[in-house]
Amino acid sequence: PLGYFEPPDSYFETVARWEKEQHGYEVKPEWICVTPGVVPAIHWAVRVFTQPGDSVMISTPVYYPFMNAVNNCGERKLVKNHLKKTGKRYEIDFEAFEKCLQQNVKLFILCNPHNPGGIVWKEHELKEMLRLCAKYDVLILSDEIHADLVFPGHTHLPLATLAGEEVDRIITCVAHTKTFNLA
Protein backbone atom coordinates (compact mmCIF):
# COMPACT_ATOMS: atom_id res chain seq x y z
CA PRO A 1 0.00 0.00 0.00
CA LEU A 2 1.21 3.47 -0.83
CA GLY A 3 1.11 6.22 1.73
CA TYR A 4 -0.13 4.35 4.78
CA PHE A 5 2.44 2.04 6.22
CA GLU A 6 4.51 1.40 9.31
CA PRO A 7 8.19 1.34 8.36
CA PRO A 8 9.79 -2.01 9.25
CA ASP A 9 12.76 -2.16 11.62
CA SER A 10 14.99 -2.67 8.58
CA TYR A 11 14.10 0.87 7.42
CA PHE A 12 15.49 2.45 10.59
CA GLU A 13 18.54 0.18 10.54
CA THR A 14 19.22 1.12 6.90
CA VAL A 15 19.01 4.85 7.59
CA ALA A 16 21.35 4.50 10.57
CA ARG A 17 23.80 2.40 8.53
CA TRP A 18 23.75 4.92 5.64
CA GLU A 19 24.50 7.84 7.95
CA LYS A 20 27.38 5.97 9.58
CA GLU A 21 28.92 4.68 6.34
CA GLN A 22 28.50 7.87 4.32
CA HIS A 23 28.99 10.58 6.95
CA GLY A 24 30.43 9.00 10.10
CA TYR A 25 27.25 9.92 11.96
CA GLU A 26 26.34 7.34 14.62
CA VAL A 27 22.53 7.34 14.67
CA LYS A 28 20.58 4.96 16.83
CA PRO A 29 17.50 3.62 15.00
CA GLU A 30 15.26 4.61 17.93
CA TRP A 31 16.23 8.28 17.41
CA ILE A 32 14.63 8.32 13.96
CA CYS A 33 11.23 9.91 13.52
CA VAL A 34 9.58 9.44 10.13
CA THR A 35 7.85 12.48 8.62
CA PRO A 36 6.30 13.05 5.19
CA GLY A 37 9.28 15.23 4.31
CA VAL A 38 11.87 17.70 5.55
CA VAL A 39 9.66 20.75 4.93
CA PRO A 40 6.77 19.40 7.06
CA ALA A 41 9.32 18.46 9.73
CA ILE A 42 10.60 22.04 9.78
CA HIS A 43 7.03 23.37 10.12
CA TRP A 44 6.36 20.96 12.98
CA ALA A 45 9.61 21.83 14.76
CA VAL A 46 8.74 25.54 14.69
CA ARG A 47 5.35 24.78 16.24
CA VAL A 48 6.60 22.25 18.80
CA PHE A 49 9.84 23.86 19.95
CA THR A 50 8.85 27.54 19.98
CA GLN A 51 6.09 29.52 21.63
CA PRO A 52 4.15 32.60 20.54
CA GLY A 53 6.48 35.57 20.91
CA ASP A 54 9.64 33.54 20.27
CA SER A 55 11.97 34.25 17.36
CA VAL A 56 13.28 31.76 14.81
CA MET A 57 16.47 32.53 12.91
CA ILE A 58 17.50 31.56 9.39
CA SER A 59 20.55 32.52 7.32
CA THR A 60 19.60 34.11 4.01
CA PRO A 61 19.57 33.59 1.14
CA VAL A 62 17.93 30.26 1.83
CA TYR A 63 15.26 27.93 0.51
CA TYR A 64 11.99 29.90 0.90
CA PRO A 65 10.00 27.21 2.81
CA PHE A 66 12.24 27.96 5.83
CA MET A 67 10.67 31.41 5.99
CA ASN A 68 7.19 30.01 5.39
CA ALA A 69 7.58 27.64 8.34
CA VAL A 70 8.01 30.63 10.62
CA ASN A 71 5.63 33.08 8.95
CA ASN A 72 2.81 30.53 8.68
CA CYS A 73 3.13 29.45 12.31
CA GLY A 74 1.70 32.63 13.75
CA GLU A 75 3.05 34.82 16.49
CA ARG A 76 6.68 33.84 15.84
CA LYS A 77 9.19 36.41 14.67
CA LEU A 78 11.43 35.62 11.71
CA VAL A 79 15.00 36.81 12.26
CA LYS A 80 17.19 36.85 9.16
CA ASN A 81 20.93 36.52 9.54
CA HIS A 82 22.21 37.66 6.14
CA LEU A 83 25.15 35.71 4.79
CA LYS A 84 27.90 37.87 3.31
CA LYS A 85 29.31 37.12 -0.09
CA THR A 86 33.08 36.95 -0.10
CA GLY A 87 34.36 36.34 -3.60
CA LYS A 88 32.52 33.29 -4.90
CA ARG A 89 31.42 32.02 -1.49
CA TYR A 90 28.86 33.02 1.10
CA GLU A 91 30.11 33.20 4.66
CA ILE A 92 28.63 33.85 8.06
CA ASP A 93 29.40 37.13 9.75
CA PHE A 94 29.57 35.72 13.27
CA GLU A 95 29.25 39.12 14.90
CA ALA A 96 25.93 39.65 13.08
CA PHE A 97 24.97 36.03 13.80
CA GLU A 98 25.39 36.60 17.54
CA LYS A 99 23.40 39.86 17.43
CA CYS A 100 20.56 38.02 15.73
CA LEU A 101 20.57 35.31 18.40
CA GLN A 102 20.03 38.00 21.03
CA GLN A 103 16.58 38.78 19.56
CA ASN A 104 14.79 36.13 21.65
CA VAL A 105 15.75 33.39 19.17
CA LYS A 106 14.73 29.94 20.40
CA LEU A 107 15.32 27.98 17.18
CA PHE A 108 17.93 28.34 14.44
CA ILE A 109 17.15 26.59 11.15
CA LEU A 110 20.45 25.71 9.49
CA CYS A 111 20.81 24.50 5.92
CA ASN A 112 23.82 22.14 5.94
CA PRO A 113 25.05 21.99 3.17
CA HIS A 114 23.55 25.33 2.28
CA ASN A 115 20.89 25.74 -0.40
CA PRO A 116 21.09 27.81 -2.61
CA GLY A 117 24.61 28.94 -1.65
CA GLY A 118 26.19 25.57 -2.35
CA ILE A 119 28.22 25.97 0.84
CA VAL A 120 29.68 22.91 2.46
CA TRP A 121 30.21 24.43 5.88
CA LYS A 122 33.68 24.06 7.32
CA GLU A 123 34.21 22.46 10.72
CA HIS A 124 35.23 25.72 12.41
CA GLU A 125 32.11 27.45 11.05
CA LEU A 126 29.79 24.74 12.34
CA LYS A 127 31.54 24.70 15.72
CA GLU A 128 31.15 28.46 16.06
CA MET A 129 27.43 28.19 15.23
CA LEU A 130 27.15 25.49 17.89
CA ARG A 131 29.04 27.55 20.44
CA LEU A 132 26.95 30.66 19.92
CA CYS A 133 23.65 28.76 19.92
CA ALA A 134 24.67 27.03 23.17
CA LYS A 135 25.60 30.41 24.67
CA TYR A 136 22.07 31.71 24.01
CA ASP A 137 20.29 28.38 24.65
CA VAL A 138 19.08 28.07 21.06
CA LEU A 139 17.90 24.77 19.59
CA ILE A 140 19.23 24.02 16.09
CA LEU A 141 17.34 22.26 13.34
CA SER A 142 19.92 21.19 10.74
CA ASP A 143 18.42 20.45 7.33
CA GLU A 144 20.93 18.02 5.84
CA ILE A 145 18.90 16.84 2.86
CA HIS A 146 21.74 17.79 0.47
CA ALA A 147 24.41 15.93 2.48
CA ASP A 148 25.10 13.38 -0.24
CA LEU A 149 25.35 15.96 -3.03
CA VAL A 150 28.71 17.62 -2.50
CA PHE A 151 31.49 17.98 -5.05
CA PRO A 152 34.66 15.90 -4.81
CA GLY A 153 37.18 17.49 -2.49
CA HIS A 154 34.46 18.58 -0.05
CA THR A 155 33.15 16.63 2.91
CA HIS A 156 29.78 17.14 4.50
CA LEU A 157 29.96 17.27 8.29
CA PRO A 158 26.74 16.40 10.08
CA LEU A 159 26.30 19.07 12.72
CA ALA A 160 25.48 16.52 15.42
CA THR A 161 28.88 14.83 14.97
CA LEU A 162 30.56 18.03 16.18
CA ALA A 163 28.18 18.82 19.01
CA GLY A 164 29.70 16.88 21.89
CA GLU A 165 27.68 17.65 25.03
CA GLU A 166 25.40 19.95 23.00
CA VAL A 167 24.03 17.10 20.86
CA ASP A 168 20.67 17.24 22.63
CA ARG A 169 20.05 20.70 21.22
CA ILE A 170 20.17 19.48 17.59
CA ILE A 171 17.46 18.10 15.34
CA THR A 172 18.83 16.67 12.10
CA CYS A 173 16.57 16.32 9.06
CA VAL A 174 17.58 14.04 6.21
CA ALA A 175 15.75 12.41 3.31
CA HIS A 176 16.51 10.05 0.48
CA THR A 177 14.69 12.22 -2.04
CA LYS A 178 17.66 14.35 -3.16
CA THR A 179 20.30 11.62 -3.03
CA PHE A 180 18.33 9.15 -5.11
CA ASN A 181 16.12 11.59 -7.06
CA LEU A 182 12.94 10.15 -5.59
CA ALA A 183 10.98 13.36 -5.08
Side-chain angles (χ1 to χ4, degrees), residues 8-33 158 174:
D9 289 343
S10 61
Y11 170 84
F12 299 98
E13 293 161 5
T14 300
V15 171
R17 186 173 55 251
W18 180 268
E19 287 299 317
K20 183 176 182 182
E21 290 175 1
Q22 300 301 314
H23 305 291
Y25 183 16
E26 297 265 352
V27 176
K28 293 182 181 175
E30 59 269 21
W31 294 350
I32 299 169
C33 176
V174 297

Side-chain angles (χ1 to χ4, degrees), residues 113-152:
H114 190 271
N115 175 27
I119 306 161
V120 178
W121 298 110
K122 295 178 177 145
E123 183 174 350
H124 74 274
E125 293 169 316
L126 293 169
K127 284 184 173 180
E128 184 63 3
M129 288 182 231
L130 280 165
R131 185 188 74 76
L132 289 170
C133 287
K135 179 179 177 180
Y136 293 96
D137 195 27
V138 174
L139 182 69
I140 305 171
L141 184 147
S142 186
D143 171 6
E144 301 190 11
I145 195 170
H146 294 98
D148 296 306
L149 304 176
V150 297
F151 288 116

